[in-house]
Amino acid sequence: MLGLTRKLKSLFKKTGSDRQHAKSRSFDINTFNRIFIDPYFNSCNLRCLYCPVGQGLKLRDMSKGMMSLDLFEQIWAKSFAHYRGTIALYNWGESFLNPDLPGMVRHIKEHSSACLLLNSSFSFSFDDRLTEILKYLESDTIIISCDGFSQETCEKYRVNVDFNLVMHNIELINRNKKPQTQLHWQYLTFPWNLEEVKAAEQYCKEKGIGFYPGKGGITSDFSMLPVPRTSDRERFRCEFIFHSLSINFDGEIYPCCAYYGPQRYSLGNASKNSVQEIFSGGKGKETLDYLMFQSNGNDGIFCKHCVERNVGVLESWK
């Protein structure tokens, strides 16, 4: 992550009041260069083979839920007025199933300079919803998650997918998006879809779409915890929180997008306190202190269990 070490060194930014009160500090939300906000948690129209949501399994003690536009606007007003990073409007569910998604996109574009990242299988018939969203997008990115170039191949992993609908939506997006809006095709590779990679890649080349094949990320031996990632073990234990902080449909904040419960590890609720307040004290600051080697952490910090691979404290989703 570019500039991460510099951000960590100045994690707490001085405010005007510091001239009188040197100990007063305010957390800078731009420390997080990407934040996930989940419009529709634990619900999807597909049944992907190894995805816990797709398989209809209860995600720990987490309930299904849809974020309302009112709640989204409350959260935004509390924390994001000066946010300049990237907002990913998706996570553990199909965000386009939320009818308030266009309103959320409009609100972000009208009230901030943040960039937007949208990701979907696009296996749905929401032409009006999709067209409205495209009106607001500028230098933003849309990711298509499709793992084949035929119905027979796509449905092997993304069960219930309608490949013709996916292609219809790709054409709709490409026809209506602004030139500066980027469209990318994410193609997870498995043994059964390798022969169609070239056809999908050629289609993207002809249409001016970015094509990104990669090994299937969620497989039958998928770990319920991510592998902690860091470019410098001497400075911090894991860097996921700085580009994967996640706000759930109910406002609960979790340390990264790979996390989906249990709820007791929430760092706080973004509808009750600002992100700045949550990371200036309490579990938010405790988590950052642990990740930055400023403390040894405690059992109430989920990141400690992940980093130390102490998965016994959680139930398996399998």
Side-chain angles (χ1 to χ4, degrees), residues 294-309:
Q294 294 181 7
S295 79
N296 292 324
N298 59 68
D299 287 343
I301 298 173
F302 177 78
C303 294
K304 180 178 176 67
H305 300 296
C306 182
V307 169
E308 298 177 8
R309 314 311 294 167

Side-chain angles (χ1 to χ4, degrees), residues 5-212:
T5 301
R6 193 179 307 116
K7 285 184 179 180
L8 293 178
K9 286 181 178 179
S10 59
L11 191 57
F12 291 94
K13 184 179 180 181
K14 287 190 175 183
T15 65
S17 62
D18 290 330
R19 297 184 180 94
Q20 299 176 356
H21 305 284
K23 292 184 179 181
S24 175
R25 301 282 176 168
S26 176
F27 185 82
D28 184 358
I29 192 172
N30 288 291
T31 298
F32 305 113
N33 68 358
R34 181 173 58 192
I35 296 176
F36 286 76
I37 302 179
D38 200 341
Y40 202 4
F41 178 77
N42 202 359
S43 187
C44 187
N45 56 325
L46 302 189
R47 296 292 178 263
C48 298
L49 282 183
Y50 309 125
C51 175
V53 177
Q55 290 303 303
L57 302 174
K58 186 177 181 181
L59 299 189
R60 314 274 193 252
D61 61 348
M62 314 281 274
S63 59
K64 294 183 179 182
M66 186 184 298
M67 181 179 285
S68 68
L69 182 57
D70 286 344
L71 179 61
F72 178 84
E73 291 178 350
Q74 288 177 39
I75 292 172
W76 196 267
K78 281 185 178 294
S79 299
F80 291 95
H82 304 292
Y83 186 63
R84 302 183 301 276
T86 297
I87 296 293
L89 272 181
Y90 65 94
N91 201 9
W92 286 105
E94 176 51 77
S95 57
F96 278 82
L97 295 178
N98 187 332
D100 280 338
L101 187 65
M104 295 176 186
V105 171
R106 182 184 67 247
H107 192 83
I108 291 172
K109 303 311 294 183
E110 290 180 351
H111 294 86
S112 78
S113 58
C115 291
L116 260 173
L117 182 62
L118 298 171
N119 190 335
S120 172
S121 66
F122 288 101
S123 182
F124 48 71
S125 298
F126 293 139
D127 286 18
D128 292 344
R129 190 175 302 176
L130 188 51
T131 302
E132 183 180 357
I133 287 171
L134 291 170
K135 290 192 305 184
Y136 306 122
L137 298 183
E138 299 288 344
S139 299
D140 305 293
T141 302
I142 302 171
I143 300 174
I144 306 151
S145 293
C146 184
D147 318 312
F149 204 64
S150 69
Q151 177 67 34
E152 181 182 8
T153 301
C154 282
E155 67 185 5
K156 286 184 178 179
Y157 179 71
R158 299 188 187 272
V159 179
N160 292 344
V161 72
D162 185 327
F163 181 70
N164 288 332
L165 264 181
V166 175
M167 297 304 294
H168 165 80
N169 285 320
I170 291 174
E171 295 286 345
L172 186 153
I173 294 169
N174 226 20
R175 188 169 59 248
N176 292 282
K177 75 178 185 67
K178 296 170 185 172
Q180 63 268 39
T181 302
Q182 297 184 53
L183 180 59
H184 296 163
W185 184 320
Q186 175 183 278
Y187 189 115
L188 300 182
T189 57
F190 301 95
W192 59 79
N193 66 3
L194 293 176
E195 292 185 357
E196 294 188 1
V197 170
K198 288 186 178 179
E201 185 174 20
Q202 180 61 33
Y203 172 84
C204 289
K205 184 177 181 180
E206 293 173 359
K207 299 292 184 178
I209 300 169
F211 184 69
Y212 299 92

